[in-house]
Amino acid sequence: MDRKNIGWDGISFEIPSNFEISGIDKKFLQLDNGEHPCIEMRWYEAGKTYKEKNYFRQLAKKIESSSGIKVESTVLPSSWKKPLTGYNSTAFYWQSETTSGRGVMFYSASASRIMLVQFINKCDEDIDNAATILFETLKFHNMESEIPWHVYDMAATLPSTYELESFEFKPGKFILSVADKNESISLYRFSPANIILKKQSLDTFSKELFKEDITKLGLSIAALEYETGATCMFGQVKRPSTPILALSKISSKRKPYGQIEVRYTEDSNRILAVMVCSRQHLEEDRAKSIFEHYEII
């Protein structure tokens, strides 16, 4: 069976390839099987202490107060027991007038995370198989130096110390931004590239797309390359002014240093871009180094 890898906001897992992301938020994913939403995942920071009964009681009370649906604990399905060995888990089920569901809440002591996974509507063989694969391959990455971000056709590896700042997934336009106290990294993906670039060059497209950022950061084209597509790179020739540097020391949101790199490859028919903004001086190839771990899959 073909599988796909999904990585989002500190976790990663595999799922049968017919499942797609149909809902996404910070520490939340909704998946559908090509017909309707059928899997929901949420994860939380829990610290080093975990009291199973207290967390489950809070979960059940929250769901019942918001939807009127009563959640009951139940026996863990036999097919889930082996992949969930090592986790402190509680299985549950619920039923309303129109639908039903079952799921599991479990705690990872090593990652200090609570994961809540529920399967909506009829839990047939297809859903049960997807559940087993998900549980067998699930990983928490918050204790690692780098974490994967694999959603739709975007794949990147970024430092684990950076937190999800914003995202936008619209037809033809994907944007993902992460940041720590000193630096922000934004990844872009546009398609179809051959249509976008039919009446304009990558240079023109890039300048228009990042017009405000180029002006704000004082960027200019540092290099322009053409291989199996095209590459535009924007860097800082001049050091940011003294007033701008002074303001950046007052507010962590002000980042006076920046780089932008935009790439088009014929094979993927996508335009990818990386923008880095920092409170500190950037290495000359900072954006390029991020591209080493950013691709279309």
Side-chain angles (χ1 to χ4, degrees):
M1 175 184 291
D2 291 336
R3 301 182 183 184
K4 67 173 65 175
N5 181 272
I6 294 176
W8 182 252
D9 208 3
I11 70 164
S12 68
F13 58 92
E14 292 183 2
I15 200 77
S17 58
N18 62 301
F19 284 77
E20 298 288 348
I21 297 173
S22 55
I24 192 166
D25 204 343
K26 292 185 177 181
K27 293 181 171 52
F28 170 81
L29 287 171
Q30 177 182 275
L31 306 174
D32 69 51
N33 60 357
E35 297 180 4
H36 50 74
C38 54
I39 303 176
E40 285 189 357
M41 306 173 64
R42 297 182 185 274
W43 51 103
Y44 313 86
E45 294 184 12
K48 293 297 181 181
T49 58
Y50 174 71
K51 296 182 179 180
E52 180 181 351
K53 290 183 179 179
N54 288 350
Y55 273 94
F56 182 74
R57 191 181 302 114
Q58 292 172 9
L59 167 68
K61 185 177 180 180
K62 185 177 181 179
I63 294 176
E64 187 170 357
S65 62
S66 62
S67 64
I69 298 174
K70 188 172 181 61
V71 177
E72 301 282 358
S73 60
T74 187
V75 178
L76 195 69
S78 58
S79 59
W80 299 3
K81 289 182 179 180
K82 184 176 179 180
L84 290 176
T85 300
Y87 292 114
N88 190 336
S89 57
T90 303
F92 61 87
Y93 75 94
W94 54 266
Q95 186 167 354
S96 68
E97 295 181 357
T98 58
T99 187
S100 61
R102 62 174 179 170
V104 61
M105 181 180 69
F106 55 94
Y107 172 66
S108 169
S110 59
S112 301
R113 294 289 188 273
I114 295 174
M115 172 67 75
L116 172 66
V117 186
Q118 64 173 334
F119 303 88
I120 305 166
N121 294 318
K122 183 181 179 181
C123 294
D124 54 19
E125 184 178 349
D126 184 47
I127 297 296
D128 196 63
N129 180 57
T132 303
I133 292 173
L134 190 160
F135 294 142
E136 287 177 343
T137 58
L138 180 67
K139 295 180 181 179
F140 295 91
H141 296 278
N142 60 300
M143 302 301 290
E144 300 174 10
S145 61
E146 294 184 323
I147 61 174
W149 295 82
H150 296 172
V151 287
Y152 305 110
D153 60 357
M154 293 176 69
T157 304
L158 298 170
S160 61
T161 54
Y162 289 55
E163 295 184 356
L164 180 60
E165 190 173 58
S166 63
F167 59 89
E168 179 181 337
F169 297 109
K170 295 181 178 179
K173 179 183 179 181
F174 294 171
I175 305 175
L176 170 64
S177 297
V178 299
D180 67 2
K181 64 179 181 179
N182 289 319
E183 184 178 87
S184 64
I185 300 173
S186 297
L187 307 179
Y188 299 77
R189 168 270 205 206
F190 300 92
S191 68
N194 60 339
I195 302 300
I196 295 172
L197 301 178
K198 190 173 184 179
K199 294 185 179 180
Q200 61 181 329
S201 66
L202 185 69
D203 179 16
T204 303
F205 172 78
S206 302
K207 287 179 178 177
E208 183 60 31
L209 175 65
F210 294 106
K211 184 177 181 179
E212 292 183 6
D213 299 294
I214 290 170
T215 301
K216 182 176 66 176
L217 295 169
L219 305 183
S220 59
I221 290 183
L224 186 61
E225 301 175 357
Y226 292 90
E227 293 179 359
T228 56
T231 301
C232 287
M233 289 178 276
F234 299 84
Q236 283 169 317
V237 177
K238 297 180 180 180
R239 176 182 170 86
S241 67
T242 301
I244 290 176
L245 290 174
L247 287 171
S248 70
K249 293 180 180 179
I250 299 173
S251 173
S252 61
K253 294 183 179 180
R254 294 179 178 271
K255 298 178 174 64
Y257 297 94
Q259 287 180 18
I260 298 172
E261 182 168 348
V262 188
R263 296 183 180 183
Y264 158 61
T265 55
E266 295 176 352
D267 291 343
S268 68
N269 196 27
R270 301 287 190 271
I271 297 172
L272 301 183
V274 168
M275 180 170 69
V276 189
C277 298
S278 178
R279 298 181 70 188
Q280 302 172 344
H281 179 74
L282 291 168
E283 296 180 6
E284 186 176 340
D285 61 351
R286 179 63 177 135
K288 187 177 181 180
S289 68
I290 296 170
F291 254 117
E292 293 177 0
H293 305 284
Y294 177 33
E295 62 181 339
I296 295 294
I297 55 174

